[in-house]
Amino acid sequence: MVKEQLQEVRERIEAACRRAGRDPREVTLIAVSKTKPAELVREVYDQGQQDLGENKVQEILEKEKVLPKDIRWHMIGHLQRNKVRQVIDKTVLIHSVDSVRLAEQIEEEAAKRDLDVDILLEVNVAREESKFGFMLEEVLDGALAISRFPHVHIRGLMTIAPFVENSEENRKIFKKLFQFYVDMKSKNIDNVNMDVLSMGMSGDYEVAIEEGATMIRVGTSIFGSR
């Protein structure tokens, strides 16, 4: 079942790219396996899916022990500062850096181990009180502060759009963040790369792709509901 659902998601990604006149190779699918057992993760891995995302540090730690070492783990959930040391050497990208203080903690732990850590800045585009992240007007100052940390490298931006019945309602959110992302890229800040835009989940990833996402985080559409 998971194999078929993964294939359908891949086909939908290609169709969305065609509609937007984009090359499907510009979009990285991150299969989000939260709460799902390692055996199911192995099924998507066997279909060539190496980029996997988790919301909780504990899930990465448990699955990373028993699954192939060439899996690229993405930390996509809220990261507490006291958990940073457990996960920074296990992930290829932390999507959910929502404050300068968190980035500072990542820098501190990375410096101890001489690691380079790639991050995205989480942006609360819709200004939802229940969500973490920088407000749009805070991102530039945050990026400038974090850019001074030698072991932490900003690769781009991430957002979690509101949960909506009709994915079209989130188009304006994705469009706004894409425009901001392009603007940030043009500033050419040292140690800020801006080549990743992580937006779109099971309910709205096709719209996100049409609006410029380079990474999408899809769980339910691949693994089924939790």
Side-chain angles (χ1 to χ4, degrees), residues 5 9 29-34 36 53 76 200-203 205 216-226:
Q5 286 169 181
V9 168
L29 167 63
I30 296 160
V32 181
S33 54
K34 60 181 179 182
K36 296 294 182 181
I76 64 170
M201 303 195 291
S202 285
Y205 67 87
I216 57 169
R217 312 176 304 273
V218 180
T220 307
S221 295
I222 295 170
F223 293 102
S225 57
R226 291 169 181 86

Side-chain angles (χ1 to χ4, degrees), residues 40-215:
L40 272 189
V41 178
R42 168 72 76 163
E43 281 186 47
V44 297
Y45 172 81
D46 288 344
Q47 299 305 311
Q49 181 63 40
Q50 283 180 284
D51 286 281
L52 289 154
E54 287 293 348
N55 276 47
K56 291 191 162 62
V57 169
Q58 197 54 40
E59 295 236 19
I60 292 179
L61 299 180
E62 286 168 10
K63 290 174 185 169
E64 185 264 344
K65 278 184 206 150
V66 297
L67 286 162
K69 294 302 170 202
D70 60 345
I71 285 176
R72 293 187 291 267
W73 293 103
H74 296 251
M75 178 65 200
I76 64 170
H78 177 60
L79 179 57
Q80 294 166 299
R81 281 178 293 144
N82 63 355
K83 298 276 178 73
V84 166
R85 61 189 167 76
Q86 296 176 275
V87 82
I88 55 168
D89 59 344
K90 305 282 193 293
T91 55
V92 293
L93 188 61
I94 298 172
H95 290 232
S96 47
V97 174
D98 54 14
S99 69
V100 175
R101 284 181 76 197
L102 175 58
E104 203 168 358
Q105 186 71 42
I106 295 170
E107 170 62 29
E108 197 177 301
E109 296 294 342
K112 285 177 194 168
R113 290 185 253 180
D114 198 23
L115 289 173
D116 284 301
V117 181
D118 286 340
I119 67 164
L120 304 181
L121 302 185
E122 181 173 353
V123 188
N124 188 348
V125 183
R127 309 181 81 85
E128 291 182 277
E129 285 185 17
S130 60
K131 298 258 174 75
F132 296 98
F134 292 90
M135 298 301 168
L136 274 171
E137 67 274 14
E138 299 169 338
V139 174
L140 179 56
D141 284 348
L144 287 168
I146 295 166
S147 71
R148 296 195 281 270
F149 300 154
H151 298 85
V152 177
H153 311 294
I154 297 173
R155 293 285 309 281
L157 306 174
M158 175 270 225
T159 197
I160 300 170
F163 177 77
V164 290
E165 292 296 329
N166 176 7
S167 60
E168 279 299 323
E169 290 175 38
N170 280 336
R171 190 177 292 278
K172 61 183 183 295
I173 301 283
F174 299 141
K175 201 183 283 281
K176 185 184 269 193
L177 190 60
F178 177 76
Q179 288 163 347
F180 187 83
Y181 163 78
V182 170
D183 185 43
M184 284 291 291
K185 197 187 290 224
S186 71
K187 295 187 189 304
N188 291 319
I189 303 165
D190 282 349
N191 197 25
V192 176
N193 230 347
M194 285 294 146
D195 59 355
V196 176
L197 185 56
S198 171
M199 58 185 194
M201 303 195 291
S202 285
D204 54 20
Y205 67 87
E206 291 158 284
V207 174
I209 289 169
E210 290 168 7
E211 295 302 334
T214 70
M215 282 187 179

